[in-house]
Amino acid sequence: MVLNGEQSSPTEAKRVLSIQSHVVCGYVGNKAACFPLQLLGYDVDPVNSVHFSNNTSYPHVSGRDQVLKKEQLRDLISGLEKNSITSSYSHVLTGYVGDPGFLLQIREEVQSLKRGKPGLTYLCDPVLGDHGSFYVPESLVQLYRDEVLRVADVVTPNDFELRQLTGSKCEDLKSTLEAIEKLHTLGPKTVVLTSIALPQDAGKLRLICSCKTSGQLVTIVFPRIEQSFTGTGDLFSALFLAYSSQHDIRRACEKSVAALFQVLQNTVSLSSCGDASSSTAAAGGGGGLLELKLIQSKHIIENPSIVFKCSTIPR
């Protein structure tokens, strides 16, 4: 396992317990994470924190009462424990959680899983919001800070989430790097800031990855695609989990950015061909958020073309 200082051997079991949202139609949460992970050689056991008809950017959402409770999460994992399944997990991946009690239960379950298998890696995507707005109750910020990140090995915030978790403004590269260091002090050995628009980058986006285990601090600057999508953070976390188990941090970042960028390009290209199910706007919603074309991007996920290269940031 690269993130713990050693690369996975080809024979090492690769199995992920993925606790995220689920939608019947579309690709967010577990629907965005499971397929890429399976393509890249992982068995994935999904636990659906919610079960909605579609993502919440559509004008109508059904299933809002189908929300998994913390007691139900404990019951599900208890069944896995009794059947000696939990010892087979190499990773835990978590994404959208909207309930404080459920989030704290995740922390308890991760702690228990790590006691049973110390080499297990926990990748936490701290889904709080984006573009200046919260998707979840603001009270979850403190829970992530004080509780969940203490047991996380990898954290993958966007710029809004980094600012909320650290209280930093992230106005330039220096202050952003200081915020990443603050996040390290909360627990995670690896911090991946998935994207931020800094003044020096002239309208482009930047990824920054800091790994205390290897000592690497790297960054990639890449073009912004002028379109809004759903599920991009969920897809990125799954890609990074898989690629970082196969490569060092630099290569994992390059492949994750390449795959995500090319999936988004493919999504725009296919959606412009008139697919009526391509966006929430086509379904009568506002904003025109595009649904990821994951199935049609299978070849990209399996073998992305590296276009944007990492550069090292001196520590």
Side-chain angles (χ1 to χ4, degrees), residues 89-104:
Y89 290 122
S90 57
H91 297 77
V92 175
L93 172 63
T94 62
Y96 174 85
V97 174
D99 176 72
F102 192 89
L103 187 59
L104 288 175

Side-chain angles (χ1 to χ4, degrees), residues 173-185:
L173 182 59
K174 180 176 181 294
S175 60
T176 301
L177 293 175
E178 290 170 351
I180 288 172
E181 284 298 317
K182 284 184 184 178
L183 210 51
H184 276 303
T185 67

Side-chain angles (χ1 to χ4, degrees), residues 196-206 221-226:
I196 188 169
L198 295 177
Q200 69 191 68
D201 294 328
K204 294 184 178 181
L205 296 174
R206 177 186 292 265
V221 178
F222 55 96
R224 180 197 297 269
I225 296 177
E226 297 299 335

Side-chain angles (χ1 to χ4, degrees), residues 13-77:
K14 298 191 292 185
R15 189 168 190 170
V16 182
L17 179 65
S18 180
I19 307 173
Q20 304 195 54
S21 61
H22 173 79
V23 290
V24 176
C25 175
Y27 291 96
V28 298
N30 270 327
K31 284 284 290 289
C34 290
F35 178 68
L37 284 169
Q38 289 165 333
L39 277 182
L40 295 170
Y42 284 80
D43 284 315
V44 185
D45 295 347
V47 175
N48 299 324
S49 58
V50 300
H51 192 152
F52 293 165
S53 57
N54 40 260
N55 74 68
T56 56
S57 63
Y58 282 78
H60 305 289
V61 181
S62 298
R64 290 185 182 273
D65 60 336
Q66 298 183 37
V67 178
L68 201 68
K69 297 179 173 58
K70 64 178 184 178
E71 297 82 5
Q72 293 170 313
L73 175 62
R74 171 85 288 271
D75 185 52
L76 289 173
I77 295 182

Side-chain angles (χ1 to χ4, degrees), residues 201-217:
D201 294 328
K204 294 184 178 181
L205 296 174
R206 177 186 292 265
L207 171 144
I208 302 173
C209 178
S210 173
C211 180
K212 290 297 186 180
T213 304
S214 66
Q216 290 177 290
L217 178 61

Side-chain angles (χ1 to χ4, degrees), residues 135-302:
Y135 301 152
V136 300
E138 291 187 37
S139 60
L140 266 60
V141 173
Q142 198 69 35
L143 291 181
Y144 275 111
R145 272 194 210 131
D146 296 345
E147 305 289 346
V148 180
L149 293 184
R150 302 292 177 190
V151 298
D153 300 289
V154 187
V155 62
T156 57
N158 59 32
D159 61 334
F160 175 78
E161 291 155 352
L162 180 64
R163 290 182 175 100
Q164 294 300 321
L165 290 168
T166 63
S168 304
K169 293 184 178 180
C170 300
E171 295 174 323
D172 52 24
L173 182 59
K174 180 176 181 294
S175 60
T176 301
L177 293 175
E178 290 170 351
I180 288 172
E181 284 298 317
K182 284 184 184 178
L183 210 51
H184 276 303
T185 67
L186 300 181
K189 293 274 195 302
T190 300
V191 176
V192 187
L193 173 58
T194 58
S195 67
I196 188 169
L198 295 177
Q200 69 191 68
D201 294 328
K204 294 184 178 181
L205 296 174
R206 177 186 292 265
L207 171 144
I208 302 173
C209 178
S210 173
C211 180
K212 290 297 186 180
T213 304
S214 66
Q216 290 177 290
L217 178 61
V218 298
T219 188
I220 304 177
V221 178
F222 55 96
R224 180 197 297 269
I225 296 177
E226 297 299 335
Q227 176 64 56
S228 297
F229 305 87
T230 61
T232 53
D234 308 320
L235 174 58
F236 179 89
S237 295
L239 292 170
F240 186 79
L241 185 156
Y243 294 141
S244 62
S245 297
Q246 303 164 358
H247 307 284
D248 67 10
I249 288 296
R250 176 182 293 268
R251 190 66 170 175
C253 289
E254 289 174 346
K255 291 191 77 168
S256 298
V257 169
L260 179 59
F261 189 82
Q262 288 156 39
V263 167
L264 297 185
Q265 284 184 314
N266 197 37
T267 296
V268 171
S269 175
L270 292 172
S271 299
S272 66
C273 294
D275 183 347
S277 64
S278 293
S279 73
T280 61
L289 300 177
L290 293 185
E291 294 276 16
L292 298 176
K293 297 295 186 183
L294 276 191
I295 307 303
Q296 299 90 333
S297 300
K298 172 180 178 290
H299 61 293
I300 294 170
I301 295 166
E302 292 177 311

Side-chain angles (χ1 to χ4, degrees), residues 1-9 12 213 244-245:
M1 164 55 64
V2 171
L3 295 178
N4 289 335
E6 297 179 3
Q7 187 164 319
S8 302
S9 69
E12 183 180 337
T213 304
S244 62
S245 297

